[in-house]
Amino acid sequence: MPPSLPAPIEISPRGALTGRVRVPGDKSISHRALMFAALAVGTSRIEGLLEGHDVLATAAALRAMGATIDRDDDGTGSGTWRVDGVGVGGLLQPEIALDMGNSGTSTRLLMGLIASHPITATFVGDASLSARPMARAIEPLARMGAAITASPGGRLPLMVRGLCPAIPINYTLPVASAQVKSAVLIAGLNTRGITRVVEPVATRDHSERMLTGFGAALTVEQTNHGRIISITGEAELAPQAITVPGDPSSAAFWLVAGSIVPGSDIRIANVGLNPTRTGLIAALRLMGADITEIDPRTVGGEPVADLRVRHAPLTAIEVPPDLAPSMIDEYPVLFVAAAFAAGHTLARGAHELRVKESDRIAAMLTALTACGVPCEEFPDGLAITGTAGEAIPGGATIATLLDHRVAMSMAVAGLHAARPVTIDDASPVATSYPGFFASLDRLTGDET
C-alpha cells in the first residue's frame, strides 16, 4: 500500500452543523468479520464493511493466505463484500510480506491467526505502526508455541512461525486489551483443547459475540476475578451474513462537534451501542451533553440506534476511570470537548493512549496547548481548563503524527476557534473514516 502524500487542510468555523450523517462501519467489527469469514467453510456476505485503509489491509493479508474476498458493487456505492473461506486450519503460506499499513488491530489479530497454523508470515507496516510495541501480543502467542522474531523493542518488522498443533493456555491479561484477548482466542480456534483468557477488566466483546455467531464453542463466565472466556478448538466455523453497524468511534466526532458548536442539531444513523463501546456517550452526558437514542434495535447481534445530538453547554467533570476501556479510542475527542467545558476537566486512567498510532496524550497536549487551551499532562491522561462554551483561540498548525484520531479531533476543535486551525496532514483519516471531510461539508452546508 503506497504511502499518501501529506495533505494539509485548514479548518475554520462554518456555523452550526445540521442534518443527518451515516458513519462508516465499525472498524473493530469489520476486521473480525473478514477474519472469521475467511476461516469459515463456504461463502459469507458482509454489508456495511468499513472500507478504510486499515480494514483493506486485513482483506489483503487474508487474500495472501488463500481466502477469496471480493466486493459486489450494487450501484449505490454501498456494496456487499463476499468472502469464500478456507476453513480453520486451511490458511496457505503467504508468498509476500503482509503489509499492515497503519493498522495495529490487523497486526495483532492476524498474529493470533497465524500462531496456530503451520505457516510463516512476515509483518511490515508504516513508520507509525513500526514504532508501536507488539510485546503484549507476542508473549501469550509464544506460550502457545509460536516462534516470533521481532525487531528491537518488540516492534515491526516481525516474523511469526506458527505451531500446529499449538498449545492451549490459560492467560490472564496483565493490561486491558481487546486486541490481545482476541489474538489469543483466534489462535485457540485451531488449537486442540480449551484456551482460556481471563479479563480482570472487561474490554470490547466483539470477538466473543461474532465467534459465537459463526458457531465456535465459546463460553463467557463472570467471576470475582473477572470475565473468563473459554474457546474450544479445533473449531468449525459456518459462513454467515453480517451487517456491520456504524462505528461509535467515528460517531464520536459528530457527538462532540454537535455539542460544542452553537445551533448544531445532528442525527447520526445506525450507530453501534455495544455497552463495551459507549464510554464517551456516558462521559459527555455527565458533562451535560444533549444526546438522545432513537429507534434502538439489534443488528447482527449488536445493539444499534440513531443518535441525535444538539448543542448544549458542557460542564467540566472528573472522568470516571472505569470508563476508560469503553472509550479508549475516543479520548482525543473527549479532550476537545473538555476544551469547551466550563471548569477544569480531569481525564485519566488511559495509559493505553501512550502506545496508539501516536502517543495520543502527548500529541493532544501539544495540539491543544498550541491552540491556546490550558492543559496539564499526567502519565495516563490530561487535565484541561475549558472556555465555558466560548471559541478557543486556535491559530495553530497541528502535527498529527500520522494519527487519524488526532487529525479528526483537532478538525472538530477548529469548528469553534477564533482563528483557523491547520491540520498538517489529513491523509491518515482514510485509515478509518475516508468520508469524514465530505460529511463535514454536508453538515455545514459547505458542499461545492
Side-chain angles (χ1 to χ4, degrees), residues 344-367:
H344 190 69
T345 295
L346 182 62
R348 300 189 64 178
H351 299 85
E352 285 294 294
L353 294 182
R354 296 288 188 185
V355 291
K356 290 289 188 177
E357 282 83 337
S358 67
D359 178 340
R360 287 177 173 164
I361 294 173
M364 290 301 296
L365 171 74
T366 300

Side-chain angles (χ1 to χ4, degrees), residues 20-26 48 50 244-254 267-272 432-433 436 439:
R20 187 175 185 273
V21 63
R22 180 177 289 272
V23 295
D26 186 283
L50 170 62
V244 179
D247 196 330
S249 296
S250 296
F253 302 106
W254 309 126
R267 180 163 173 163
I268 313 165
N270 198 48
V271 180
S432 65
Y433 199 160
F436 173 78
S439 292

Side-chain angles (χ1 to χ4, degrees), residues 3 10 12 14 30 40 108 127 151 188 206 220 265 286 303 306 317 330 352 356 379 407-408 413:
E10 184 179 277
S12 300
R14 309 179 182 192
S30 293
R108 295 185 181 96
S151 298
H206 302 306
V220 179
D265 186 346
L286 288 173
D306 291 3
I317 63 169
E330 288 77 68
E352 285 294 294
K356 290 289 188 177
M408 288 183 280

Side-chain angles (χ1 to χ4, degrees), residues 23 247-259 268 271 280-281 284 307 329-331 333-334 405 409 412 433 436:
V23 295
D247 196 330
S249 296
S250 296
F253 302 106
W254 309 126
L255 292 173
V256 172
S259 296
I268 313 165
V271 180
L280 178 72
I281 295 173
L284 289 176
L307 296 177
D329 287 333
E330 288 77 68
Y331 266 87
V333 80
L334 173 69
R405 299 203 191 279
S409 295
V412 169
Y433 199 160
F436 173 78

